[in-house]
Amino acid sequence: MSAMNLRVAGPRLAHAASQGTSLRSRRRYAPPSRHVSTVRPVRAALEDVVTMGDGRVEGEGSANREGGSVPPAEMDAQRFDLHWSVEFWRQFSAREALQDVMDEESPVSARLAAAQETLTSALTASNALASTDAFRFWAYHLVRSGFFSAQAIFGLSYARSAAERDSRSTETLTRMEAIAKSGWQGPLAEACLSYYQDFENIKAGKYGMPWDMNLNHRQFNPLYIARKAAAFVAEATDTLRRREEGRAEDVWIKSMGVPDYFKTFHYQSDGWMSSRSAQVYESSTETLFVGRQDAMQRTTLLLMEEALRGKDPSQVAALEVACGTGRFATFVKDAYPTMDLTLTDLSPFYLQEARENMKYWKRMRAPTLSLPGVDGNGTTFLQTKAEELDVADESMDVVYSVYLFHELPPDVQTAVAKEMARVLKPGGMVIFTDSVQRGDRPSMDDTLGNFGDFNEPFYRAYIERDLGGLFESVGLTCVAKAVNSTTKSLSFTKPQVEPMSVMIDDAGNN
């Protein structure tokens, strides 16, 4: 048993990354070749995808489900210029990539040897020791995934103990424990490749190193870690109990400002309507993704860099629709400190958490920064519905949202798209980041909709929605698409309005 040679497809990916190739270069991607009974290390898996050429991706494996509609991923391929990540993640399957490691019929010694070979070749291929930055990046992110994996295991263990003590069903826990135990096949393999893609973007100058890697950051404080971990375990126990019972809490606050479709999604406590919810949310979602959520969301910055290249950030106005805790907004602000940034959300509790996160970013990264807006960091906070933005027409250069649309019914998705287009300046860019859809990860197609069972009533409709067609219907033009693990990002522009020429006759009349 031997690891697949790293020369599978040559240095194509490394060359493309080193050249910082534009997303709009219209590449053609060849599907990776199939290798039987081989271990596919990180870089080999990535390099096996990219082939330079002209034209868009011609999706293979494009046969529709029997009697079904065209997968959204195929419609994307007809509308967007595709980043190399689109085809890579379309082809990638963790189970196939690590088949030697997970082959239960092989002797344990052979499986351990395969795992060692994979890790060694992956470490070498990722150039984790090639520079100080590379070492810092990989050390931080591997520790990060290790922590959130351990937190997931502990949380599940505690929840099982509570369920058995109260003589409750443990069916949901058993399913989630099986996922945790197969971490090599799923979340951890996805996380490593997600980090590789993230660091390639950093090396290409698309955005900087994550600002929270600073060892002085509060997330390295043992007391802060303990407090967040305890909050997560308590929330996970309550969430899994509700999921097992199939009974979500009602939204406790009643208001004309809270729309009827608003739910306590994910069976979480208080929906998004409490400080407790806001303070535990990021820890919960990062545990779900074993630490890769930030890396997936930073794909938004990849598309944003293309929109803002050559522009003075101090002259740019950006709007995040449904900002949640504002954690991702701190990465945006770190990339463009002088940008005029407006953060909106329906929940005042999450807006308060977003403000605290932005204040912490300023204290850590830009203490001398003095800009208009709240707390002198050039940020405005706005409580408003996404479908009724209290923002002036054509006032924003960039409008973006992260993980919003899958929690909206189709008619509200359309209303939000219209609002995003309305507030965007001509020539500006909308960036959409959310869950992958059917066809983006074919190996997941059969189970992707199961997330809807976690009190996500609109998710199954979302994964079938033609997003390109939606945004085109409100007057925007499709530009680019990128994928990172289970997250996709799309960009759109608003056409410039050509000035009308006026014909004047010799007498001076129009």
Side-chain angles (χ1 to χ4, degrees):
M1 183 182 300
S2 61
M4 185 174 65
N5 193 292
L6 292 179
R7 292 177 293 144
V8 170
R12 292 189 295 263
L13 173 62
H15 173 74
S18 67
Q19 297 299 310
T21 309
S22 168
L23 287 170
R24 303 183 68 182
S25 57
R26 295 180 180 267
R27 307 177 196 174
R28 180 183 301 278
Y29 309 106
S33 55
R34 298 299 179 193
H35 297 267
V36 180
S37 188
T38 56
V39 179
R40 294 170 58 86
V42 173
R43 190 167 187 171
L46 285 164
E47 286 186 341
D48 203 20
V49 175
V50 181
T51 299
M52 307 304 291
D54 295 326
R56 295 175 184 261
V57 166
E58 294 180 356
E60 299 177 18
S62 60
N64 300 336
R65 291 180 176 180
E66 186 175 350
S69 59
V70 177
E74 291 189 24
M75 291 182 275
D76 289 348
Q78 302 306 313
R79 289 190 169 100
F80 295 91
D81 293 319
L82 305 182
H83 185 251
W84 58 262
S85 58
V86 174
E87 181 67 4
F88 166 68
W89 288 107
R90 190 180 76 83
Q91 293 286 343
F92 179 72
S93 167
R95 179 179 295 275
E96 179 181 322
L98 297 167
Q99 57 183 311
D100 281 359
V101 179
M102 302 309 300
D103 183 3
E104 296 184 0
E105 296 183 1
S106 298
V108 173
S109 59
R111 293 169 64 190
L112 288 174
Q116 182 180 1
E117 271 189 300
T118 299
L119 287 172
T120 301
S121 59
L123 184 66
T124 302
S126 65
N127 293 317
L129 303 178
S131 67
T132 301
D133 280 349
F135 177 78
R136 288 177 56 236
F137 178 90
W138 280 101
Y140 168 74
H141 284 89
L142 292 177
V143 169
R144 180 181 181 85
S145 278
F147 169 78
F148 283 112
S149 297
Q151 181 165 276
I153 293 169
F154 184 80
L156 288 170
S157 176
Y158 187 88
R160 174 172 285 279
S161 297
E164 291 174 348
R165 182 188 64 228
D166 299 337
S167 300
R168 289 186 278 106
S169 170
T170 59
E171 180 182 352
T172 297
L173 283 166
T174 300
R175 287 168 53 197
M176 298 193 74
E177 285 169 345
I179 295 172
K181 289 176 181 177
S182 64
W184 272 105
Q185 289 176 269
L188 290 178
E190 297 261 336
C192 286
L193 290 166
S194 177
Y195 298 150
Y196 184 92
Q197 180 178 336
D198 192 32
F199 192 58
E200 288 298 305
N201 291 337
I202 292 169
K203 289 196 301 182
K206 303 302 181 182
Y207 45 85
M209 293 278 278
W211 72 273
D212 62 342
M213 287 171 50
N214 188 325
L215 292 177
N216 292 322
H217 194 286
R218 62 189 174 190
Q219 67 184 3
F220 294 101
N221 184 310
L223 293 178
Y224 182 87
I225 293 171
R227 186 168 67 252
K228 287 291 186 180
F232 164 76
V233 170
E235 174 66 6
T237 301
D238 290 342
T239 298
L240 292 170
R241 172 179 54 78
R242 296 186 198 104
R243 169 64 182 88
E244 197 66 64
E245 295 171 351
R247 187 177 70 248
E249 290 184 340
D250 291 331
V251 178
W252 70 272
I253 189 169
K254 305 301 179 184
S255 168
M256 293 180 62
V258 178
D260 292 339
Y261 64 81
F262 191 83
K263 309 290 183 184
T264 51
F265 298 100
H266 320 148
Y267 292 100
Q268 66 192 74
S269 301
D270 303 326
W272 285 289
M273 290 296 178
S274 73
S275 297
R276 174 196 173 190
S277 172
Q279 290 168 7
V280 76
Y281 178 80
E282 295 293 346
S283 183
S284 298
T285 53
E286 280 290 24
T287 302
L288 175 67
F289 293 117
V290 293
R292 73 182 186 275
Q293 178 176 258
D294 283 349
M296 294 192 298
Q297 291 181 346
R298 282 194 287 267
T299 307
T300 308
L301 291 177
L302 175 68
L303 302 184
M304 192 177 293
E305 187 274 339
E306 182 123 330
L308 300 182
R309 189 180 304 153
K311 295 182 179 179
D312 179 359
S314 68
Q315 302 303 307
V316 171
L319 171 70
E320 179 171 356
V321 180
C323 69
T325 67
R327 177 172 172 83
F328 176 68
T330 66
F331 290 102
V332 175
K333 199 66 177 174
D334 200 62
Y336 306 100
T338 59
M339 176 190 285
D340 179 8
L341 182 61
T342 298
L343 304 181
T344 80
D345 204 88
L346 188 63
S347 169
F349 303 98
Y350 275 66
L351 284 173
Q352 173 64 30
E353 187 72 8
R355 181 188 179 189
E356 294 302 318
N357 280 332
M358 197 61 73
K359 286 167 65 176
Y360 185 75
W361 168 82
K362 184 178 186 296
R363 186 160 69 249
M364 288 287 295
R365 296 287 286 174
T368 62
L369 189 67
S370 180
L371 295 171
V374 178
D375 305 316
N377 54 33
T379 307
T380 300
F381 301 89
L382 180 63
Q383 184 185 10
T384 184
K385 294 180 184 178
E387 63 270 35
E388 297 175 9
L389 293 172
D390 187 15
V391 178
D393 293 356
E394 299 187 348
S395 59
M396 296 291 166
D397 298 284
V398 177
V399 179
Y400 66 94
S401 68
V402 180
Y403 300 153
L404 168 64
F405 273 61
H406 75 271
E407 291 178 341
L408 302 174
D411 60 325
V412 179
Q413 292 174 1
T414 301
V416 173
K418 288 179 179 178
E419 283 292 272
M420 296 173 85
R422 176 183 66 80
V423 304
L424 188 68
K425 294 178 182 178
M429 178 173 282
V430 165
I431 303 173
F432 166 101
T433 296
D434 211 312
S435 164
V436 292
Q437 298 176 284
R438 187 162 65 90
D440 287 322
R441 301 289 306 274
S443 64
M444 296 182 175
D445 276 356
D446 291 340
T447 57
L448 187 61
N450 292 349
F451 185 62
D453 297 336
F454 220 69
N455 205 35
E456 288 281 0
F458 313 118
Y459 186 75
R460 286 185 171 88
Y462 162 79
I463 62 175
E464 300 291 342
R465 187 81 191 255
D466 175 11
L467 295 169
L470 167 61
F471 281 92
E472 284 184 339
S473 73
V474 299
L476 301 182
T477 301
C478 298
V479 179
K481 174 182 178 179
V483 173
N484 187 318
S485 186
T486 52
T487 296
K488 69 188 297 181
S489 293
L490 307 172
S491 63
F492 309 86
T493 56
K494 187 172 187 176
Q496 295 275 8
V497 178
E498 295 294 335
M500 295 182 62
S501 59
V502 180
M503 300 299 293
I504 302 177
D505 61 24
D506 293 340
N509 299 315
N510 291 347

